[in-house]
Amino acid sequence: MFMVAEPQEALKDWISKRLNQKFPEDSTFLGQVKDSKLVAVIGYCNFVGNSCAIHIASEGSHWMNRELLWACFDYPFNKLEKKVIVTALDANNEKAVRLNRHLGFHIETVIKDAHENGDLMIMTMRKENCRFLKTKE
């Protein structure tokens, strides 16, 4: 497995189709390739002050590894010097909630009826709580 950052437009198209979401022009993307096939893309957008948003889409299993997780959090926390990463998701999407909790995100709030499928959950991670950055120390 290896990571790619180019071509950005192809990564954007891949994640947009899987999440059924449009990304702003200033978004950036990181992809994971396995057996010559793109299996995951991480998207970053909404760069506001000390924070940015993160979105993750994947196909298949065994796409996640330590190198990807380190890069996933190194970019916003170390390269962009953000203090907080924010993700907003369908509160009923148990798989996504479980993944985000496993990664170390914490629930900040739930907004009733704000998602097309029901409630919108806002989860965050702060740099000091990111255990994946410590893997390269």
Side-chain angles (χ1 to χ4, degrees), residues 117-134:
N117 296 325
D119 298 342
L120 180 71
M121 181 178 290
I122 309 296
M123 300 180 84
T124 61
M125 181 189 295
R126 301 187 69 78
K127 181 178 180 176
E128 60 268 20
N129 298 328
C130 182
R131 70 182 186 271
F132 302 107
L133 293 179
K134 297 176 176 114

Side-chain angles (χ1 to χ4, degrees), residues 36-79:
S36 302
K37 183 180 177 197
L38 193 58
V39 294
V41 173
I42 301 160
Y44 306 91
C45 61
N46 301 331
F47 304 99
V48 180
N50 289 322
S51 70
C52 70
I54 189 171
H55 304 272
I56 301 171
S58 65
E59 284 187 351
S61 59
H62 307 293
W63 56 270
M64 194 182 305
N65 62 27
R66 287 179 192 232
E67 291 80 20
L68 176 66
L69 290 170
W70 178 83
C72 172
F73 296 108
D74 176 64
Y75 178 70
F77 287 134
N78 293 329
K79 303 270 187 303

Side-chain angles (χ1 to χ4, degrees), residues 74-112:
D74 176 64
Y75 178 70
F77 287 134
N78 293 329
K79 303 270 187 303
L80 300 180
E81 299 181 344
K82 300 299 181 184
K83 294 180 181 179
V84 181
I85 301 172
V86 179
T87 187
L89 59 147
D90 173 2
N92 296 315
N93 185 339
E94 293 177 15
K95 191 174 178 180
V97 172
R98 187 172 47 252
L99 172 64
N100 285 319
R101 283 182 185 254
H102 173 73
L103 293 175
F105 284 86
H106 298 280
I107 299 170
E108 287 288 335
T109 193
V110 175
I111 305 169
K112 294 284 184 199

